[in-house]
Amino acid sequence: MSQVNVTRRYRFCAAHRLHTDHLTPEENRMVFGKCNNSNGHGHNYVVLVTVKSGGVLDLERLDGLVNETIVRRFDHHDLNGDPEFAERTTTGENLVKLIWDLLEPQLPNERLAKVGVIETRDNYFEYAGSAQPTGGSRG
Ligand code: NI
């Protein structure tokens, strides 16, 4: 059986600063580079949501879900102020996983295939859930 996926594109603008109290100021600068700048900075994030096509999920419903759950939550916000980022840094890796975790429970029958986040021209992150070879690959 062939499976076709469909990807929808969404956008939001958000500020962040990469910083952890577990490191010294010098170490933070070394690890996070420009993204550690104490004034913070923003990105025009692009979110690519890939779902398995077919069945009951229509794209209008997907758009509504992503806009409600992701875009409204993050657009023109400071990611560092989001409760989910109280204990983890706002890296692209953590952001793409969080977006997956927020969407996946709301999509029936493991319909979510992949989430991608374009952070800058040259940085792209993607996540397809925690890989489990057999059976339910939830979360
Ligand atoms: Ni940044």
Side-chain angles (χ1 to χ4, degrees):
M1 200 180 83
S2 66
Q3 173 65 54
V4 173
N5 290 341
V6 55
T7 298
R8 297 282 291 166
R9 178 193 298 260
Y10 308 90
R11 294 171 186 80
F12 64 84
C13 310
H16 82 150
R17 181 191 181 209
L18 295 183
H19 178 86
T20 172
D21 294 334
H22 300 295
L23 299 177
T24 66
E26 296 73 34
E27 288 167 335
N28 269 289
R29 269 194 295 278
M30 270 182 53
V31 173
F32 297 125
K34 276 195 269 187
C35 282
N36 182 240
N37 182 324
S38 60
N39 293 321
H41 62 280
H43 294 287
N44 296 315
Y45 290 95
V46 174
V47 180
L48 301 169
V49 177
T50 302
V51 294
K52 296 165 190 164
S53 140
V56 291
L57 180 75
D58 68 83
L59 294 180
E60 256 178 62
R61 186 177 160 267
L62 179 67
D63 287 355
L65 182 69
V66 176
N67 283 322
E68 276 295 305
T69 310
I70 304 301
V71 177
R72 223 168 70 159
R73 177 177 184 139
F74 296 128
D75 192 32
H76 289 79
H77 282 73
D78 180 354
L79 297 182
N80 293 56
D82 190 285
E84 287 291 339
F85 285 117
E87 299 295 324
R88 23 181 185 176
T89 51
T90 52
T91 58
E93 288 94 335
N94 288 336
L95 181 61
V96 77
K97 281 179 163 178
L98 173 59
I99 291 174
W100 171 280
D101 288 343
L102 292 170
L103 291 179
E104 198 273 341
Q106 304 190 64
L107 288 161
N109 305 321
E110 302 180 353
R111 183 54 63 82
L112 186 59
K114 189 166 76 180
V115 173
V117 169
I118 301 170
E119 185 187 55
T120 67
R121 191 191 65 181
D122 299 325
N123 282 352
Y124 172 66
F125 304 88
E126 68 177 37
Y127 186 63
S130 55
Q132 288 176 14
T134 54
S137 60
R138 302 201 69 84

